[in-house]
């Protein structure tokens, strides 16, 4: 009677290893860390070739200056973001000056290096020395694989990634208090950083920690958020970071415009991750990686990208760390030649995005610089001005003080996020913004108002309160690249 042969079991990556001796760890990191540092510097060369990359950098720079001159976050300095990155900018400016973003760009490179090191350490603990090197080396090229204004700018998402990686690193080692604190820091960098809570809680549940572990996690998670609220204004913190963005997050209006942006940025990311995606897809067909927490991390990050239905390129950055680790896990299963293919593909795509960052023109930056030069020429250093547009960097480039806490017209019209449909206008502004704005215009009227709407749906003739303000006390004195300058009538 013939014997039935047992079907071969699909391969799977090795289980997590025990900690190696300190000497072995030291030799490993003294070799890998310089290589990762060099790679981080090379991949972020374009970051230092422009004074600004996008309006978010300009917004943060202006906020930091306002904070340095006595402004209060969520009172006289407002944004729909948590406080960690504005504080980071303010600290860098206090130490190194506010005339350049070089200091925060260096911090951004260090943040990406830290994320790479944490991912490498996590992969090494799970799958061995080679996996650690693979994760670190694959992550940094992929991390710049978007429009340069999204990947090279020192903005919220860049500073969110390291705490997210730290949360997973700590949870993997059952350090629950630190894991909770890292999740809190990710949230305080940007709200969507809280998505890492999903895989961390899953790891917490799987480990079955004692009650003390649950308590440490809860304290670590809640204490930093409560401290940030107490250091600012608790009610303002809650409003600006959680409850005050309902209209901004609505999908109504500009559906095709937003959908087109989402598809375009998804395609760009797919090109950037051409070395990561094929191994993951291949492993889905032949084996399970045993990395449920990483799949949860990727899924939660994908949901976070969808949140608000804006699909800006920088939103996609947070899917790259879990995708890198999943690709690393898959490459432990696949034949060794797949690793060489993944590394070569990543190097080629990285070169492509580096060239884009170095060579691509920045017409909006050129426009903002021209407007800023005109503003500086027509006003004195102590004058307050109002830029009616979506380029807050003009305040920073002109070195002039904003006449209002609302640094973009988006906060007063809901144009934020490129909305150009029906939900743009005074009635869609942040709740309570217009009475405050009118009072600001009355108590310290700007010496110069720049209408930088250039035909957009928030132009003054479609915003009655602004149109009345201009008619009552201002006259047109010139134009710059389509922006109209209004000087106060004596």
């Amino acid at each position: 009677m013939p014997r039935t042969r047992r079907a071969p079991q699909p391969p799977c990556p090795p289980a997590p290893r025990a900690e190696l001796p300190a000497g072995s760890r030291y030799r490993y990191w003294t070799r890998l860390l310089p290589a990762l540092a060099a790679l981080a510097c090379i991949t972020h060369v374009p970051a230092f070739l422009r004074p600004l990359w996008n309006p978010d950098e300009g917004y943060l720079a202006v906020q930091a200056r306002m904070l340095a001159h006595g402004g209060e976050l969520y009172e006289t300095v407002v944004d729909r973001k948590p406080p960690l990155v504005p504080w980071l900018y303010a600290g860098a400016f206090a130490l190194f000056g506010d005339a350049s973003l070089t200091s925060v760009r260096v911090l951004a490179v260090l943040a990406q290096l830290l994320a790479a090191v944490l991912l490498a350490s996590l992969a090494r603990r799970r799958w061995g020395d080679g996996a650690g090197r693979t994760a670190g080396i694959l992550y940094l090229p992929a991390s710049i694989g978007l429009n340069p204004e999204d990947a090279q700018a020192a903005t919220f998402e860049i500073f969110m990634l390291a705490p997210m990686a730290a949360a997973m690193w700590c949870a993997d080692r059952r350090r629950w208090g630190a894991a909770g604190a890292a999740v809190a820091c990710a949230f305080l960098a940007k709200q969507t950083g809280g998505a890492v809570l999903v895989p961390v809680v899953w790891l917490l549940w799987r480990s079955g920690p004692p009650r003390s572990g649950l308590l440490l996690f809860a304290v670590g998670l809640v204490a930093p958020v409560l401290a940030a609220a107490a250091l600012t204004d608790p009610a303002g913190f809650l409003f600006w970071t959680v409850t005050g963005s309902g209209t901004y997050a609505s999908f109504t209006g500009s559906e095709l415009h937003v959908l087109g942006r989402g598809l375009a940025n998804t395609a760009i990311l797919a090109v950037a991750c051409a070395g990561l995606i094929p191994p993951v897809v291949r492993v889905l067909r032949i084996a399970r990686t045993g990395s449920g927490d990483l799949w949860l991390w990727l899924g939660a990050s994908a949901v976070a990208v969808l949140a608000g239905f804006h699909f800006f390129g920088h939103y996609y950055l947070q899917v790259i760390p879990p995708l890198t680790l999943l690709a690393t896990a898959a490459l432990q299963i696949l034949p060794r030649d797949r690793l060489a293919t993944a590394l070569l593909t990543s190097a080629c795509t990285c070169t492509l995005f580096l060239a884009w960052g170095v060579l691509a023109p920045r017409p909006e930056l050129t426009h903002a610089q021209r407007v800023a030069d005109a503003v500086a020429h027509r006003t004195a250093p102590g004058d307050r001005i109002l830029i009616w547009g979506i380029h807050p960097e003009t305040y920073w480039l002109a070195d002039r003080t904003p006449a209002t806490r609302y640094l973009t017209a988006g906060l007063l019209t809901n144009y934020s996020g490129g909305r150009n449909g029906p939900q743009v206008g005074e009635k869609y502004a942040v709740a309570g913004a217009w009475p405050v704005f009118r009072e600001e215009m009355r108590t310290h009227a700007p010496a110069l108002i720049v209408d930088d709407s250039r035909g957009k749906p928030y132009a003054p003739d479609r915003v009655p309160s602004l149109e009345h303000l201009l008619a009552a006390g201002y006259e047109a004195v010139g134009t710059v690249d389509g922006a109209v300058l209004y000087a106060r009538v004596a």
Side-chain angles (χ1 to χ4, degrees):
M1 182 175 180
R3 290 183 300 175
T4 49
R5 290 170 45 177
R6 179 180 294 180
Q9 294 298 313
C12 61
R17 316 183 304 167
E19 290 291 340
L20 295 176
S24 176
R25 293 198 302 270
Y26 177 79
R27 288 191 299 272
Y28 181 83
W29 289 109
T30 53
R31 295 173 182 174
L32 181 58
L33 190 56
L36 293 180
L39 188 56
C41 292
I42 292 170
T43 53
H44 289 86
V45 165
F48 298 90
L49 302 182
R50 300 284 192 278
L52 281 154
W53 273 106
N54 65 22
D56 282 353
E57 282 189 324
Y59 205 117
L60 285 161
V62 177
Q63 280 186 305
R65 278 183 174 172
M66 295 170 73
L67 290 172
H69 290 87
E72 298 180 19
L73 203 54
Y74 306 125
E75 287 289 335
T76 57
V77 181
V78 299
D79 191 14
R80 291 185 173 100
K81 300 292 192 301
L84 191 59
V85 182
W87 284 341
L88 190 65
Y89 265 66
F93 282 4
L95 292 174
F96 303 104
D98 63 2
S100 166
L101 296 186
T102 299
S103 58
V104 291
R105 297 266 172 77
V106 171
L107 291 177
V109 174
L110 292 175
Q112 286 289 54
L113 174 60
L114 176 59
V117 169
L118 290 167
L119 294 176
S121 179
L122 188 58
R124 182 181 183 239
R125 182 171 186 268
R126 293 190 175 194
W127 306 303
D129 290 355
R133 289 188 290 268
T134 299
I137 292 172
L138 285 178
Y139 170 72
L140 288 168
S143 70
I144 64 163
L146 291 163
N147 188 318
E149 71 176 27
D150 295 310
Q152 297 289 348
T155 51
F156 302 95
E157 289 78 10
I158 295 295
F159 293 108
M160 174 182 76
L161 298 177
M164 293 182 78
M168 292 296 293
W169 188 92
C170 293
D172 190 60
R173 287 161 170 76
R174 310 299 186 256
R175 300 175 184 177
W176 300 119
V183 173
C185 288
F187 171 82
L188 290 173
K190 191 185 176 188
Q191 294 94 323
T192 54
V196 76
L197 179 65
V198 174
V200 168
V201 167
W202 188 84
L203 286 171
L204 179 67
W205 172 72
R206 284 289 301 270
S207 70
R211 186 173 300 178
S212 60
L214 294 173
L215 180 61
L216 285 172
F217 178 74
V219 171
L221 178 65
V222 174
V225 177
L226 293 180
L231 288 171
T232 54
D233 169 65
F237 174 87
L238 179 64
F239 176 81
W240 284 102
T241 61
V242 182
T243 63
S245 300
T247 307
Y248 177 82
S250 171
F251 188 60
T252 305
S254 308
E255 289 87 351
L256 291 177
H257 173 75
V258 172
L259 181 61
R261 182 197 296 143
L263 292 174
N265 283 322
T266 301
I268 293 172
L269 183 69
V271 172
C273 296
L276 306 180
I277 296 174
V280 175
V281 173
R282 177 67 176 166
V283 162
L284 280 175
R285 291 166 44 192
I286 66 171
R288 292 186 298 175
T289 65
S291 303
D293 56 327
L294 302 183
W295 285 107
L296 282 173
W297 188 7
L298 180 64
S301 296
V303 171
V305 172
L306 297 174
F309 304 106
H310 288 90
F311 303 109
F312 288 122
H314 45 269
Y315 288 13
Y316 289 75
L317 285 168
Q318 72 182 86
V319 307
I320 296 176
L323 185 58
T324 299
L325 289 176
L326 285 169
T328 301
L331 289 167
Q332 308 313 301
I333 298 173
L334 296 171
R336 189 164 183 80
D337 64 311
R338 301 284 181 146
L339 174 59
T341 301
L343 292 173
L344 179 60
T345 305
S346 294
C348 291
T349 57
C350 179
T351 302
L352 174 66
F353 284 98
L354 277 175
W356 187 3
V358 171
L359 301 176
R362 310 303 305 169
E364 288 301 315
L365 173 60
T366 302
H367 169 80
Q369 288 173 319
R370 289 173 178 168
V371 173
D373 290 342
V375 168
H377 176 71
R378 289 187 172 273
T379 58
D383 288 341
R384 293 176 180 266
I385 65 169
L386 171 66
I387 307 295
W388 184 255
I390 56 172
H391 290 284
E393 63 266 31
T394 306
Y395 291 114
W396 183 73
L397 292 168
D399 196 15
R400 294 295 183 266
T401 302
T404 175
R405 68 197 67 189
Y406 306 113
L407 300 183
T408 70
L411 294 173
L412 292 160
T413 65
N414 196 42
Y415 188 77
S416 302
R419 300 291 193 202
N420 55 10
Q423 289 198 338
V424 174
E426 287 188 46
K427 68 178 181 178
Y428 300 109
V430 172
W434 274 100
V436 174
F437 178 77
R438 295 189 189 100
E439 180 63 19
E440 289 174 326
M441 296 300 101
R442 186 185 67 82
T443 54
H444 37 75
L448 190 75
I449 295 178
V450 179
D451 169 23
D452 197 23
S453 58
R454 292 177 282 164
K456 299 293 194 305
Y458 58 88
D461 60 355
R462 299 177 66 173
V463 184
S465 294
L466 181 65
E467 187 176 36
H468 175 74
L469 173 67
L470 292 172
Y474 291 84
E475 62 179 2
V477 294
T479 62
V480 180
D481 283 353
V484 184
L485 279 61
Y486 293 88
R488 192 168 65 227
V489 177

